[in-house]
Amino acid sequence: MPFTLATWNINSVRLREPIVQKLLQEEGPDVLCLQECKSPVEKIPVEGFAALGYGHMIARGQKGYNGVAILSRLPIEDIGEQDFAGLGHARHVAGRLENGVVIHNFYVPAGGDVPDRDVNEKFGQKLDYLTDMRDWFHAEKPEKSILVGDLNIAPREDDVWDHKKLLKVVSHTPVEVEHLADTQEAGGWVDITRRDIPEGKLYSWWSYRARDWDAADKGRRLDHVWATPDIAGAGHSSRILRDARGWEKPSDHAPVFATFDL
C-alpha cells in the first residue's frame, strides 16, 4: 500500500497552524514531518490536525526553539529520540508505522553565520551533531527506514543558486558537505529526491531577506528525504511544493514530498 510523506521546516507550528492545515487539506500526505516547531509538545495545536484526519502525532518540543513532530493519518509508534552532540535540544524523533517502516525526523543545527568552529560555537555543534549521526548509523545500521528533515546543508552544486559564491557560506561549505556525505554513507542512505530528480537546480529554502524571493530565486536545497537501500526502490514521485513559500505568513522553507509503495 503506497503512502506519501512530506517534510517541512514550519518555523513555528502555532504561528503557522493555518498553512499546515492548508497543506494537509490540499495535498493530503499520509505523514507530515515538521521541524522547528518552536513549541512544547503539549501546546502543539493537535485538535485542528486531528479534525482533518491526522489523529496520530509523536513529537519532541521545547519553548521557543527547535522541536520536531510527525503528524500521521496512519498509526505510528513512538520509538524514541537521540540527543546528538549532547545539546539537549529537541532535534530528532523516530516513529514506526504498522508496516514496519521507521521514520526519522531530523532538524540539524543551522550552524550560525561563520563557518569556523574556533570562533563560532554553533558551527562546531553542527559538525559534531553530524559526526554523532554518522557514528550512530555505523553502530546501528538502519534498515527499512526513511530519514527526512531540515538537514541545513545543500550538498550539490545544483542545490544552491550559485556554487562558487556559497562555498564560504554556512550550509554549502566543503567541510559541511563532507560531513553530510559521511553521515549518508554510514547509513547507506539513498537521496530519494535527487534520485527522482537527478538534474537541474532544486531548492527548498529561500531567505526572508529577499524582497522578491520568487523572482530572485536565490534558493538552497536544505530539506531532504532519504531511504535505506532495502526500500529506496519503492520511493518515487518526489517534488518540492514551491508555491507554499508564497502562502500567507509563510515559512522560509517549502515542503518536500515523496511516495513509497510499501
Side-chain angles (χ1 to χ4, degrees):
M1 180 177 175
F3 67 93
T4 297
L5 176 147
T7 179
W8 195 8
N9 177 317
I10 195 57
N11 191 17
S12 178
V13 67
R14 287 187 282 170
L15 180 64
R16 303 190 209 287
E17 179 187 2
I19 62 172
V20 176
Q21 291 193 5
K22 178 179 172 70
L23 183 87
L24 297 176
Q25 288 177 305
E26 295 182 1
E27 302 295 330
D30 297 292
V31 179
L32 174 61
C33 296
L34 300 172
Q35 303 88 39
E36 206 172 351
C37 295
K38 295 182 176 179
S39 174
V41 173
E42 64 273 13
K43 293 188 177 181
I44 295 175
V46 294
E47 295 83 1
F49 305 146
L52 296 173
Y54 294 80
H56 306 277
M57 182 187 78
I58 60 174
R60 298 294 184 272
Q62 58 190 104
K63 183 179 179 181
Y65 298 94
N66 308 315
V68 285
I70 303 176
L71 308 177
S72 181
R73 293 200 286 209
L74 309 170
I76 187 166
E77 174 191 3
D78 188 330
I79 59 171
E81 75 288 327
Q82 297 290 323
D83 179 24
F84 296 114
L87 298 177
H89 296 173
R91 292 186 175 275
H92 171 255
V93 69
R96 182 183 289 112
L97 299 175
E98 288 185 322
N99 62 4
V101 172
V102 172
I103 298 173
H104 292 281
N105 184 13
F106 275 98
Y107 177 41
V108 171
D113 295 325
V114 181
D116 182 344
R117 69 181 305 149
D118 292 332
V119 298
N120 174 16
E121 180 184 24
K122 290 183 178 180
F123 193 71
Q125 290 174 346
K126 181 178 191 174
L127 299 182
D128 292 346
Y129 193 96
L130 290 160
T131 297
D132 281 2
M133 285 177 66
R134 178 201 68 189
D135 292 347
W136 188 47
F137 295 140
H138 270 310
E140 300 183 31
K141 201 75 169 181
E143 297 178 347
K144 202 174 183 181
S145 298
I146 300 168
L147 184 158
V148 306
D150 178 4
L151 305 186
N152 262 312
I153 296 172
R156 293 177 25 155
E157 292 188 16
D158 51 3
D159 288 338
V160 295
W161 66 276
D162 191 311
H163 168 61
K164 290 184 178 179
K165 288 183 179 178
L166 269 69
L167 277 172
K168 295 183 179 180
V169 175
V170 174
S171 77
H172 192 60
T173 66
V175 66
E176 291 171 273
V177 171
E178 181 180 359
H179 273 66
L180 186 68
D182 289 345
T183 300
Q184 183 178 356
E185 183 182 9
W189 298 103
V190 176
D191 181 343
I192 296 298
T193 309
R194 274 307 192 181
R195 196 205 55 194
D196 282 353
I197 311 170
E199 303 295 336
K201 297 281 190 179
L202 196 62
Y203 314 138
S204 64
W205 174 89
W206 296 260
S207 174
Y208 283 134
R209 296 174 186 172
R211 290 186 178 180
D212 190 344
W213 68 273
D214 194 29
D217 203 23
K218 293 182 177 181
R220 307 176 202 172
R221 187 174 71 102
L222 304 180
D223 305 272
H224 299 264
V225 178
W226 296 353
T228 49
D230 52 350
I231 62 170
H236 61 90
S237 302
S238 296
R239 61 191 175 97
I240 297 176
L241 188 65
R242 181 188 176 106
D243 288 353
R245 178 62 179 83
W247 289 353
E248 187 173 356
K249 294 183 179 178
S251 169
D252 46 359
H253 293 252
V256 181
F257 288 77
T259 297
F260 290 85
D261 295 337
L262 291 167

